[in-house]
Amino acid sequence: MREPLDREALHEALVTPGSPWQGLDVHAELGSTNAAAAELAQPWRVVVADHQSAGRGRLGRSWEAPPGTSIAVSVLVPAPAHGIGWVPLLTGLAVARAAHEVAGVHAAVKWPNDVLVEEDDWRKVCGVLCEVHPAGVVVGFGVNVTQTREELPVENATSLALCGAPDVRREDLVAACLRHLAVLHGDLMAGGPALEAARAAYRSACRTIGMVVDLNTGSATHRLPAVGVDDEGRLVVHGDAGEYAVAAGDVVHVRETRG
């Protein structure tokens, strides 16, 4: 029997002096945490669900997990004056840091919106969905925590339990993710050296850099080396005419490039 999320423990961990988080709503079931956060339109208020019945990923994909096996979290944060493309990237970095801190797993990010952990291979443990809102940006993420192999929707997914961390408390993971997100979003809003350090940390954690990727931009798929992430948060690839940046696209890692 999987235990429901403990609202009191989450509130005690998040709503503390000096923390930006202004409260939280914990739901046993919800259609979409992103939709709920957008409807609330309250910056820094957290929406968490034990089960999402209409969870969404990028490109209109559905996202659902058995009740009590994952975390589904959405928050509305202020939009930065510049570099809004970094919001989903730094959210992924926050989750990767939290997964390493709480579960002890080797975590990395995949441009633009996935968190990977190392099981037998690198597999997806988290997806990020950010949506622009009149009051800021709705940031949503879902992390697979205790799913068995049979409960995962696709072959290249995994859970923290399958990576050797079966006893992770979901409340601890939510709190760690939001703690790291608050720091990194603060760096993004501050700009200057703080933002440069956050960008450098993302690039260091990004497995897409240095990979040959299949890049689908909607009209075509190209197999290209990914060589960097620019200051706007765009993926830099190397094509026949040289390097160029891509703001959006679906990426599949093919192999590591060789120097």
Side-chain angles (χ1 to χ4, degrees), residues 89-129:
L89 277 58
L90 293 181
T91 301
L93 180 59
V95 174
R97 287 178 170 178
H100 177 72
E101 175 186 311
V102 173
V105 295
H106 191 191
V109 290
K110 174 189 170 193
W111 187 93
N113 72 321
D114 290 345
V115 179
L116 309 177
V117 291
E118 196 169 18
E119 191 190 332
D120 54 340
D121 195 1
W122 287 94
R123 295 174 181 262
K124 178 176 176 178
V125 78
C126 166
V128 175
L129 178 65

PDB file of all heavy atoms in Angstrom, residues 89-129:
ATOM      1  N   LEU A  89      15.180  24.589 -18.393  1.00  0.00           N
ATOM      2  CA  LEU A  89      16.502  23.981 -18.264  1.00  0.00           C
ATOM      3  C   LEU A  89      16.944  23.962 -16.803  1.00  0.00           C
ATOM      4  O   LEU A  89      17.415  22.937 -16.294  1.00  0.00           O
ATOM      5  CB  LEU A  89      17.518  24.728 -19.129  1.00  0.00           C
ATOM      6  CG  LEU A  89      17.583  24.347 -20.613  1.00  0.00           C
ATOM      7  CD1 LEU A  89      16.248  24.534 -21.325  1.00  0.00           C
ATOM      8  CD2 LEU A  89      18.670  25.164 -21.332  1.00  0.00           C
ATOM      9  N   LEU A  90      16.797  25.096 -16.122  1.00  0.00           N
ATOM     10  CA  LEU A  90      17.233  25.154 -14.727  1.00  0.00           C
ATOM     11  C   LEU A  90      16.279  24.380 -13.811  1.00  0.00           C
ATOM     12  O   LEU A  90      16.704  23.892 -12.756  1.00  0.00           O
ATOM     13  CB  LEU A  90      17.356  26.614 -14.287  1.00  0.00           C
ATOM     14  CG  LEU A  90      18.476  27.400 -14.985  1.00  0.00           C
ATOM     15  CD1 LEU A  90      18.528  28.829 -14.470  1.00  0.00           C
ATOM     16  CD2 LEU A  90      19.834  26.726 -14.808  1.00  0.00           C
ATOM     17  N   THR A  91      15.020  24.236 -14.218  1.00  0.00           N
ATOM     18  CA  THR A  91      14.123  23.365 -13.456  1.00  0.00           C
ATOM     19  C   THR A  91      14.623  21.929 -13.509  1.00  0.00           C
ATOM     20  O   THR A  91      14.657  21.222 -12.485  1.00  0.00           O
ATOM     21  CB  THR A  91      12.689  23.447 -14.011  1.00  0.00           C
ATOM     22  OG1 THR A  91      12.230  24.806 -13.939  1.00  0.00           O
ATOM     23  CG2 THR A  91      11.750  22.539 -13.224  1.00  0.00           C
ATOM     24  N   GLY A  92      15.025  21.485 -14.694  1.00  0.00           N
ATOM     25  CA  GLY A  92      15.595  20.144 -14.806  1.00  0.00           C
ATOM     26  C   GLY A  92      16.838  19.972 -13.963  1.00  0.00           C
ATOM     27  O   GLY A  92      17.029  18.928 -13.318  1.00  0.00           O
ATOM     28  N   LEU A  93      17.685  20.990 -13.949  1.00  0.00           N
ATOM     29  CA  LEU A  93      18.895  20.924 -13.123  1.00  0.00           C
ATOM     30  C   LEU A  93      18.532  20.841 -11.644  1.00  0.00           C
ATOM     31  O   LEU A  93      19.167  20.092 -10.879  1.00  0.00           O
ATOM     32  CB  LEU A  93      19.773  22.147 -13.393  1.00  0.00           C
ATOM     33  CG  LEU A  93      21.091  22.223 -12.602  1.00  0.00           C
ATOM     34  CD1 LEU A  93      21.973  21.014 -12.874  1.00  0.00           C
ATOM     35  CD2 LEU A  93      21.831  23.523 -12.932  1.00  0.00           C
ATOM     36  N   ALA A  94      17.510  21.584 -11.215  1.00  0.00           N
ATOM     37  CA  ALA A  94      17.065  21.527  -9.816  1.00  0.00           C
ATOM     38  C   ALA A  94      16.622  20.115  -9.448  1.00  0.00           C
ATOM     39  O   ALA A  94      16.973  19.592  -8.379  1.00  0.00           O
ATOM     40  CB  ALA A  94      15.919  22.521  -9.592  1.00  0.00           C
ATOM     41  N   VAL A  95      15.862  19.463 -10.340  1.00  0.00           N
ATOM     42  CA  VAL A  95      15.394  18.099 -10.067  1.00  0.00           C
ATOM     43  C   VAL A  95      16.567  17.133 -10.034  1.00  0.00           C
ATOM     44  O   VAL A  95      16.631  16.240  -9.178  1.00  0.00           O
ATOM     45  CB  VAL A  95      14.352  17.671 -11.108  1.00  0.00           C
ATOM     46  CG1 VAL A  95      13.981  16.199 -10.925  1.00  0.00           C
ATOM     47  CG2 VAL A  95      13.104  18.543 -11.012  1.00  0.00           C
ATOM     48  N   ALA A  96      17.518  17.289 -10.960  1.00  0.00           N
ATOM     49  CA  ALA A  96      18.692  16.410 -10.970  1.00  0.00           C
ATOM     50  C   ALA A  96      19.481  16.532  -9.673  1.00  0.00           C
ATOM     51  O   ALA A  96      19.921  15.524  -9.100  1.00  0.00           O
ATOM     52  CB  ALA A  96      19.583  16.742 -12.172  1.00  0.00           C
ATOM     53  N   ARG A  97      19.661  17.748  -9.203  1.00  0.00           N
ATOM     54  CA  ARG A  97      20.370  17.955  -7.935  1.00  0.00           C
ATOM     55  C   ARG A  97      19.605  17.326  -6.776  1.00  0.00           C
ATOM     56  O   ARG A  97      20.194  16.704  -5.882  1.00  0.00           O
ATOM     57  CB  ARG A  97      20.576  19.454  -7.699  1.00  0.00           C
ATOM     58  CG  ARG A  97      21.639  20.077  -8.593  1.00  0.00           C
ATOM     59  CD  ARG A  97      21.766  21.574  -8.340  1.00  0.00           C
ATOM     60  NE  ARG A  97      22.939  22.121  -9.017  1.00  0.00           N
ATOM     61  CZ  ARG A  97      23.276  23.415  -9.003  1.00  0.00           C
ATOM     62  NH1 ARG A  97      22.520  24.287  -8.331  1.00  0.00           N
ATOM     63  NH2 ARG A  97      24.370  23.820  -9.634  1.00  0.00           N
ATOM     64  N   ALA A  98      18.282  17.482  -6.786  1.00  0.00           N
ATOM     65  CA  ALA A  98      17.467  16.923  -5.706  1.00  0.00           C
ATOM     66  C   ALA A  98      17.508  15.397  -5.729  1.00  0.00           C
ATOM     67  O   ALA A  98      17.592  14.759  -4.674  1.00  0.00           O
ATOM     68  CB  ALA A  98      16.029  17.420  -5.829  1.00  0.00           C
ATOM     69  N   ALA A  99      17.455  14.807  -6.916  1.00  0.00           N
ATOM     70  CA  ALA A  99      17.492  13.346  -7.018  1.00  0.00           C
ATOM     71  C   ALA A  99      18.811  12.802  -6.490  1.00  0.00           C
ATOM     72  O   ALA A  99      18.843  11.773  -5.794  1.00  0.00           O
ATOM     73  CB  ALA A  99      17.284  12.920  -8.466  1.00  0.00           C
ATOM     74  N   HIS A 100      19.898  13.495  -6.795  1.00  0.00           N
ATOM     75  CA  HIS A 100      21.196  13.063  -6.274  1.00  0.00           C
ATOM     76  C   HIS A 100      21.249  13.221  -4.754  1.00  0.00           C
ATOM     77  O   HIS A 100      21.725  12.334  -4.037  1.00  0.00           O
ATOM     78  CB  HIS A 100      22.314  13.871  -6.928  1.00  0.00           C
ATOM     79  CG  HIS A 100      23.675  13.542  -6.393  1.00  0.00           C
ATOM     80  ND1 HIS A 100      24.321  12.363  -6.672  1.00  0.00           N
ATOM     81  CD2 HIS A 100      24.499  14.237  -5.568  1.00  0.00           C
ATOM     82  CE1 HIS A 100      25.496  12.338  -6.059  1.00  0.00           C
ATOM     83  NE2 HIS A 100      25.623  13.463  -5.374  1.00  0.00           N
ATOM     84  N   GLU A 101      20.721  14.335  -4.272  1.00  0.00           N
ATOM     85  CA  GLU A 101      20.762  14.624  -2.832  1.00  0.00           C
ATOM     86  C   GLU A 101      19.907  13.651  -2.026  1.00  0.00           C
ATOM     87  O   GLU A 101      20.347  13.121  -0.993  1.00  0.00           O
ATOM     88  CB  GLU A 101      20.275  16.056  -2.608  1.00  0.00           C
ATOM     89  CG  GLU A 101      20.153  16.479  -1.161  1.00  0.00           C
ATOM     90  CD  GLU A 101      19.533  17.858  -1.029  1.00  0.00           C
ATOM     91  OE1 GLU A 101      19.980  18.796  -1.730  1.00  0.00           O
ATOM     92  OE2 GLU A 101      18.576  17.998  -0.244  1.00  0.00           O
ATOM     93  N   VAL A 102      18.697  13.388  -2.481  1.00  0.00           N
ATOM     94  CA  VAL A 102      17.742  12.598  -1.703  1.00  0.00           C
ATOM     95  C   VAL A 102      17.893  11.099  -1.951  1.00  0.00           C
ATOM     96  O   VAL A 102      17.767  10.295  -1.025  1.00  0.00           O
ATOM     97  CB  VAL A 102      16.302  13.058  -2.032  1.00  0.00           C
ATOM     98  CG1 VAL A 102      15.274  12.146  -1.364  1.00  0.00           C
ATOM     99  CG2 VAL A 102      16.088  14.501  -1.580  1.00  0.00           C
ATOM    100  N   ALA A 103      18.176  10.726  -3.213  1.00  0.00           N
ATOM    101  CA  ALA A 103      18.206   9.311  -3.565  1.00  0.00           C
ATOM    102  C   ALA A 103      19.611   8.774  -3.802  1.00  0.00           C
ATOM    103  O   ALA A 103      19.793   7.556  -3.917  1.00  0.00           O
ATOM    104  CB  ALA A 103      17.366   9.075  -4.821  1.00  0.00           C
ATOM    105  N   GLY A 104      20.596   9.661  -3.902  1.00  0.00           N
ATOM    106  CA  GLY A 104      21.966   9.216  -4.121  1.00  0.00           C
ATOM    107  C   GLY A 104      22.231   8.677  -5.512  1.00  0.00           C
ATOM    108  O   GLY A 104      23.222   7.970  -5.733  1.00  0.00           O
ATOM    109  N   VAL A 105      21.354   9.008  -6.487  1.00  0.00           N
ATOM    110  CA  VAL A 105      21.517   8.496  -7.844  1.00  0.00           C
ATOM    111  C   VAL A 105      22.397   9.437  -8.663  1.00  0.00           C
ATOM    112  O   VAL A 105      22.549  10.621  -8.345  1.00  0.00           O
ATOM    113  CB  VAL A 105      20.162   8.322  -8.542  1.00  0.00           C
ATOM    114  CG1 VAL A 105      19.329   7.262  -7.842  1.00  0.00           C
ATOM    115  CG2 VAL A 105      19.396   9.641  -8.617  1.00  0.00           C
ATOM    116  N   HIS A 106      22.983   8.903  -9.711  1.00  0.00           N
ATOM    117  CA  HIS A 106      23.760   9.688 -10.660  1.00  0.00           C
ATOM    118  C   HIS A 106      22.777  10.280 -11.657  1.00  0.00           C
ATOM    119  O   HIS A 106      22.180   9.555 -12.459  1.00  0.00           O
ATOM    120  CB  HIS A 106      24.782   8.797 -11.361  1.00  0.00           C
ATOM    121  CG  HIS A 106      25.792   9.559 -12.160  1.00  0.00           C
ATOM    122  ND1 HIS A 106      26.661   8.955 -13.032  1.00  0.00           N
ATOM    123  CD2 HIS A 106      26.068  10.880 -12.224  1.00  0.00           C
ATOM    124  CE1 HIS A 106      27.437   9.862 -13.590  1.00  0.00           C
ATOM    125  NE2 HIS A 106      27.086  11.041 -13.123  1.00  0.00           N
ATOM    126  N   ALA A 107      22.554  11.602 -11.607  1.00  0.00           N
ATOM    127  CA  ALA A 107      21.528  12.257 -12.417  1.00  0.00           C
ATOM    128  C   ALA A 107      22.155  13.273 -13.364  1.00  0.00           C
ATOM    129  O   ALA A 107      23.197  13.862 -13.077  1.00  0.00           O
ATOM    130  CB  ALA A 107      20.507  12.951 -11.511  1.00  0.00           C
ATOM    131  N   ALA A 108      21.504  13.464 -14.503  1.00  0.00           N
ATOM    132  CA  ALA A 108      21.951  14.424 -15.503  1.00  0.00           C
ATOM    133  C   ALA A 108      20.713  15.008 -16.170  1.00  0.00           C
ATOM    134  O   ALA A 108      19.580  14.579 -15.911  1.00  0.00           O
ATOM    135  CB  ALA A 108      22.857  13.744 -16.534  1.00  0.00           C
ATOM    136  N   VAL A 109      20.919  16.000 -17.046  1.00  0.00           N
ATOM    137  CA  VAL A 109      19.800  16.599 -17.767  1.00  0.00           C
ATOM    138  C   VAL A 109      19.961  16.355 -19.257  1.00  0.00           C
ATOM    139  O   VAL A 109      21.069  16.197 -19.773  1.00  0.00           O
ATOM    140  CB  VAL A 109      19.674  18.118 -17.486  1.00  0.00           C
ATOM    141  CG1 VAL A 109      19.218  18.361 -16.068  1.00  0.00           C
ATOM    142  CG2 VAL A 109      20.994  18.849 -17.735  1.00  0.00           C
ATOM    143  N   LYS A 110      18.816  16.304 -19.923  1.00  0.00           N
ATOM    144  CA  LYS A 110      18.764  16.176 -21.376  1.00  0.00           C
ATOM    145  C   LYS A 110      18.011  17.383 -21.910  1.00  0.00           C
ATOM    146  O   LYS A 110      16.893  17.659 -21.460  1.00  0.00           O
ATOM    147  CB  LYS A 110      18.052  14.874 -21.765  1.00  0.00           C
ATOM    148  CG  LYS A 110      17.821  14.711 -23.265  1.00  0.00           C
ATOM    149  CD  LYS A 110      16.913  13.516 -23.538  1.00  0.00           C
ATOM    150  CE  LYS A 110      16.489  13.498 -24.996  1.00  0.00           C
ATOM    151  NZ  LYS A 110      15.373  12.558 -25.236  1.00  0.00           N
ATOM    152  N   TRP A 111      18.630  18.097 -22.837  1.00  0.00           N
ATOM    153  CA  TRP A 111      17.970  19.275 -23.413  1.00  0.00           C
ATOM    154  C   TRP A 111      16.732  18.829 -24.192  1.00  0.00           C
ATOM    155  O   TRP A 111      16.787  17.842 -24.925  1.00  0.00           O
ATOM    156  CB  TRP A 111      18.943  20.002 -24.347  1.00  0.00           C
ATOM    157  CG  TRP A 111      18.447  21.310 -24.860  1.00  0.00           C
ATOM    158  CD1 TRP A 111      18.668  22.543 -24.306  1.00  0.00           C
ATOM    159  CD2 TRP A 111      17.645  21.533 -26.030  1.00  0.00           C
ATOM    160  NE1 TRP A 111      18.052  23.510 -25.055  1.00  0.00           N
ATOM    161  CE2 TRP A 111      17.408  22.918 -26.113  1.00  0.00           C
ATOM    162  CE3 TRP A 111      17.088  20.699 -27.001  1.00  0.00           C
ATOM    163  CZ2 TRP A 111      16.663  23.488 -27.136  1.00  0.00           C
ATOM    164  CZ3 TRP A 111      16.327  21.262 -28.023  1.00  0.00           C
ATOM    165  CH2 TRP A 111      16.122  22.634 -28.085  1.00  0.00           C
ATOM    166  N   PRO A 112      15.564  19.527 -24.061  1.00  0.00           N
ATOM    167  CA  PRO A 112      15.384  20.710 -23.232  1.00  0.00           C
ATOM    168  C   PRO A 112      14.649  20.465 -21.916  1.00  0.00           C
ATOM    169  O   PRO A 112      14.576  21.380 -21.101  1.00  0.00           O
ATOM    170  CB  PRO A 112      14.517  21.590 -24.134  1.00  0.00           C
ATOM    171  CG  PRO A 112      13.625  20.589 -24.841  1.00  0.00           C
ATOM    172  CD  PRO A 112      14.472  19.355 -25.033  1.00  0.00           C
ATOM    173  N   ASN A 113      14.094  19.272 -21.687  1.00  0.00           N
ATOM    174  CA  ASN A 113      13.147  19.182 -20.568  1.00  0.00           C
ATOM    175  C   ASN A 113      13.132  17.850 -19.830  1.00  0.00           C
ATOM    176  O   ASN A 113      12.159  17.538 -19.152  1.00  0.00           O
ATOM    177  CB  ASN A 113      11.719  19.476 -21.059  1.00  0.00           C
ATOM    178  CG  ASN A 113      11.167  18.333 -21.903  1.00  0.00           C
ATOM    179  OD1 ASN A 113      11.886  17.734 -22.699  1.00  0.00           O
ATOM    180  ND2 ASN A 113       9.902  18.028 -21.719  1.00  0.00           N
ATOM    181  N   ASP A 114      14.174  17.050 -19.939  1.00  0.00           N
ATOM    182  CA  ASP A 114      14.173  15.759 -19.249  1.00  0.00           C
ATOM    183  C   ASP A 114      15.298  15.671 -18.233  1.00  0.00           C
ATOM    184  O   ASP A 114      16.346  16.309 -18.396  1.00  0.00           O
ATOM    185  CB  ASP A 114      14.345  14.602 -20.244  1.00  0.00           C
ATOM    186  CG  ASP A 114      13.127  14.404 -21.126  1.00  0.00           C
ATOM    187  OD1 ASP A 114      12.055  14.943 -20.797  1.00  0.00           O
ATOM    188  OD2 ASP A 114      13.253  13.715 -22.164  1.00  0.00           O
ATOM    189  N   VAL A 115      15.066  14.853 -17.208  1.00  0.00           N
ATOM    190  CA  VAL A 115      16.113  14.485 -16.258  1.00  0.00           C
ATOM    191  C   VAL A 115      16.364  12.985 -16.432  1.00  0.00           C
ATOM    192  O   VAL A 115      15.415  12.196 -16.474  1.00  0.00           O
ATOM    193  CB  VAL A 115      15.703  14.804 -14.811  1.00  0.00           C
ATOM    194  CG1 VAL A 115      16.813  14.380 -13.837  1.00  0.00           C
ATOM    195  CG2 VAL A 115      15.402  16.292 -14.658  1.00  0.00           C
ATOM    196  N   LEU A 116      17.634  12.617 -16.538  1.00  0.00           N
ATOM    197  CA  LEU A 116      18.034  11.240 -16.732  1.00  0.00           C
ATOM    198  C   LEU A 116      18.766  10.733 -15.500  1.00  0.00           C
ATOM    199  O   LEU A 116      19.472  11.502 -14.840  1.00  0.00           O
ATOM    200  CB  LEU A 116      18.973  11.110 -17.941  1.00  0.00           C
ATOM    201  CG  LEU A 116      18.514  11.737 -19.258  1.00  0.00           C
ATOM    202  CD1 LEU A 116      19.606  11.576 -20.317  1.00  0.00           C
ATOM    203  CD2 LEU A 116      17.200  11.152 -19.741  1.00  0.00           C
ATOM    204  N   VAL A 117      18.590   9.463 -15.201  1.00  0.00           N
ATOM    205  CA  VAL A 117      19.394   8.836 -14.154  1.00  0.00           C
ATOM    206  C   VAL A 117      19.999   7.557 -14.715  1.00  0.00           C
ATOM    207  O   VAL A 117      19.474   6.956 -15.656  1.00  0.00           O
ATOM    208  CB  VAL A 117      18.578   8.535 -12.871  1.00  0.00           C
ATOM    209  CG1 VAL A 117      18.193   9.816 -12.155  1.00  0.00           C
ATOM    210  CG2 VAL A 117      17.344   7.719 -13.190  1.00  0.00           C
ATOM    211  N   GLU A 118      21.096   7.160 -14.119  1.00  0.00           N
ATOM    212  CA  GLU A 118      21.832   6.012 -14.628  1.00  0.00           C
ATOM    213  C   GLU A 118      21.370   4.744 -13.922  1.00  0.00           C
ATOM    214  O   GLU A 118      21.549   4.587 -12.716  1.00  0.00           O
ATOM    215  CB  GLU A 118      23.336   6.222 -14.439  1.00  0.00           C
ATOM    216  CG  GLU A 118      24.178   5.274 -15.268  1.00  0.00           C
ATOM    217  CD  GLU A 118      25.641   5.657 -15.278  1.00  0.00           C
ATOM    218  OE1 GLU A 118      26.058   6.440 -14.393  1.00  0.00           O
ATOM    219  OE2 GLU A 118      26.362   5.168 -16.158  1.00  0.00           O
ATOM    220  N   GLU A 119      20.746   3.868 -14.692  1.00  0.00           N
ATOM    221  CA  GLU A 119      20.370   2.543 -14.206  1.00  0.00           C
ATOM    222  C   GLU A 119      21.326   1.572 -14.897  1.00  0.00           C
ATOM    223  O   GLU A 119      22.536   1.612 -14.694  1.00  0.00           O
ATOM    224  CB  GLU A 119      18.902   2.249 -14.536  1.00  0.00           C
ATOM    225  CG  GLU A 119      18.345   1.026 -13.844  1.00  0.00           C
ATOM    226  CD  GLU A 119      16.976   0.649 -14.381  1.00  0.00           C
ATOM    227  OE1 GLU A 119      16.219   1.506 -14.868  1.00  0.00           O
ATOM    228  OE2 GLU A 119      16.669  -0.539 -14.319  1.00  0.00           O
ATOM    229  N   ASP A 120      20.822   0.675 -15.770  1.00  0.00           N
ATOM    230  CA  ASP A 120      21.727  -0.091 -16.625  1.00  0.00           C
ATOM    231  C   ASP A 120      22.230   0.779 -17.763  1.00  0.00           C
ATOM    232  O   ASP A 120      23.277   0.537 -18.354  1.00  0.00           O
ATOM    233  CB  ASP A 120      21.011  -1.333 -17.172  1.00  0.00           C
ATOM    234  CG  ASP A 120      19.703  -0.970 -17.878  1.00  0.00           C
ATOM    235  OD1 ASP A 120      19.174   0.130 -17.626  1.00  0.00           O
ATOM    236  OD2 ASP A 120      19.210  -1.790 -18.665  1.00  0.00           O
ATOM    237  N   ASP A 121      21.453   1.806 -18.093  1.00  0.00           N
ATOM    238  CA  ASP A 121      21.777   2.804 -19.093  1.00  0.00           C
ATOM    239  C   ASP A 121      21.174   4.109 -18.581  1.00  0.00           C
ATOM    240  O   ASP A 121      20.553   4.140 -17.517  1.00  0.00           O
ATOM    241  CB  ASP A 121      21.173   2.388 -20.445  1.00  0.00           C
ATOM    242  CG  ASP A 121      21.743   3.172 -21.618  1.00  0.00           C
ATOM    243  OD1 ASP A 121      22.623   4.026 -21.378  1.00  0.00           O
ATOM    244  OD2 ASP A 121      21.308   2.936 -22.756  1.00  0.00           O
ATOM    245  N   TRP A 122      21.356   5.185 -19.324  1.00  0.00           N
ATOM    246  CA  TRP A 122      20.723   6.437 -18.935  1.00  0.00           C
ATOM    247  C   TRP A 122      19.256   6.397 -19.344  1.00  0.00           C
ATOM    248  O   TRP A 122      18.927   6.206 -20.518  1.00  0.00           O
ATOM    249  CB  TRP A 122      21.428   7.621 -19.593  1.00  0.00           C
ATOM    250  CG  TRP A 122      22.766   7.896 -18.986  1.00  0.00           C
ATOM    251  CD1 TRP A 122      23.968   7.433 -19.403  1.00  0.00           C
ATOM    252  CD2 TRP A 122      23.021   8.694 -17.832  1.00  0.00           C
ATOM    253  NE1 TRP A 122      24.973   7.886 -18.586  1.00  0.00           N
ATOM    254  CE2 TRP A 122      24.414   8.669 -17.605  1.00  0.00           C
ATOM    255  CE3 TRP A 122      22.220   9.426 -16.960  1.00  0.00           C
ATOM    256  CZ2 TRP A 122      25.016   9.351 -16.548  1.00  0.00           C
ATOM    257  CZ3 TRP A 122      22.805  10.109 -15.910  1.00  0.00           C
ATOM    258  CH2 TRP A 122      24.191  10.062 -15.721  1.00  0.00           C
ATOM    259  N   ARG A 123      18.369   6.586 -18.379  1.00  0.00           N
ATOM    260  CA  ARG A 123      16.934   6.520 -18.632  1.00  0.00           C
ATOM    261  C   ARG A 123      16.236   7.739 -18.035  1.00  0.00           C
ATOM    262  O   ARG A 123      16.714   8.350 -17.080  1.00  0.00           O
ATOM    263  CB  ARG A 123      16.338   5.243 -18.028  1.00  0.00           C
ATOM    264  CG  ARG A 123      16.840   3.945 -18.667  1.00  0.00           C
ATOM    265  CD  ARG A 123      16.313   2.737 -17.908  1.00  0.00           C
ATOM    266  NE  ARG A 123      16.769   1.482 -18.466  1.00  0.00           N
ATOM    267  CZ  ARG A 123      16.062   0.715 -19.297  1.00  0.00           C
ATOM    268  NH1 ARG A 123      14.853   1.109 -19.668  1.00  0.00           N
ATOM    269  NH2 ARG A 123      16.545  -0.423 -19.760  1.00  0.00           N
ATOM    270  N   LYS A 124      15.064   8.038 -18.566  1.00  0.00           N
ATOM    271  CA  LYS A 124      14.314   9.215 -18.136  1.00  0.00           C
ATOM    272  C   LYS A 124      13.595   8.945 -16.824  1.00  0.00           C
ATOM    273  O   LYS A 124      12.858   7.960 -16.692  1.00  0.00           O
ATOM    274  CB  LYS A 124      13.297   9.602 -19.212  1.00  0.00           C
ATOM    275  CG  LYS A 124      12.415  10.794 -18.840  1.00  0.00           C
ATOM    276  CD  LYS A 124      11.501  11.161 -20.000  1.00  0.00           C
ATOM    277  CE  LYS A 124      10.542  12.276 -19.619  1.00  0.00           C
ATOM    278  NZ  LYS A 124       9.679  12.688 -20.760  1.00  0.00           N
ATOM    279  N   VAL A 125      13.773   9.842 -15.864  1.00  0.00           N
ATOM    280  CA  VAL A 125      13.074   9.744 -14.581  1.00  0.00           C
ATOM    281  C   VAL A 125      12.143  10.924 -14.340  1.00  0.00           C
ATOM    282  O   VAL A 125      11.280  10.876 -13.475  1.00  0.00           O
ATOM    283  CB  VAL A 125      14.088   9.614 -13.424  1.00  0.00           C
ATOM    284  CG1 VAL A 125      14.713  10.971 -13.082  1.00  0.00           C
ATOM    285  CG2 VAL A 125      13.470   8.991 -12.192  1.00  0.00           C
ATOM    286  N   CYS A 126      12.307  11.991 -15.143  1.00  0.00           N
ATOM    287  CA  CYS A 126      11.524  13.215 -14.923  1.00  0.00           C
ATOM    288  C   CYS A 126      11.335  13.964 -16.233  1.00  0.00           C
ATOM    289  O   CYS A 126      12.249  14.020 -17.059  1.00  0.00           O
ATOM    290  CB  CYS A 126      12.230  14.120 -13.908  1.00  0.00           C
ATOM    291  SG  CYS A 126      11.599  15.817 -13.822  1.00  0.00           S
ATOM    292  N   GLY A 127      10.155  14.536 -16.388  1.00  0.00           N
ATOM    293  CA  GLY A 127       9.888  15.460 -17.471  1.00  0.00           C
ATOM    294  C   GLY A 127       9.461  16.802 -16.914  1.00  0.00           C
ATOM    295  O   GLY A 127       8.842  16.877 -15.843  1.00  0.00           O
ATOM    296  N   VAL A 128       9.783  17.853 -17.636  1.00  0.00           N
ATOM    297  CA  VAL A 128       9.468  19.231 -17.221  1.00  0.00           C
ATOM    298  C   VAL A 128       8.568  19.863 -18.281  1.00  0.00           C
ATOM    299  O   VAL A 128       8.804  19.698 -19.482  1.00  0.00           O
ATOM    300  CB  VAL A 128      10.751  20.064 -17.059  1.00  0.00           C
ATOM    301  CG1 VAL A 128      10.421  21.527 -16.752  1.00  0.00           C
ATOM    302  CG2 VAL A 128      11.650  19.477 -15.973  1.00  0.00           C
ATOM    303  N   LEU A 129       7.549  20.570 -17.847  1.00  0.00           N
ATOM    304  CA  LEU A 129       6.688  21.324 -18.762  1.00  0.00           C
ATOM    305  C   LEU A 129       6.500  22.725 -18.206  1.00  0.00           C
ATOM    306  O   LEU A 129       5.947  22.893 -17.110  1.00  0.00           O
ATOM    307  CB  LEU A 129       5.327  20.639 -18.935  1.00  0.00           C
ATOM    308  CG  LEU A 129       4.328  21.383 -19.834  1.00  0.00           C
ATOM    309  CD1 LEU A 129       4.831  21.440 -21.268  1.00  0.00           C
ATOM    310  CD2 LEU A 129       2.944  20.724 -19.784  1.00  0.00           C
TER     311      LEU A 129
END
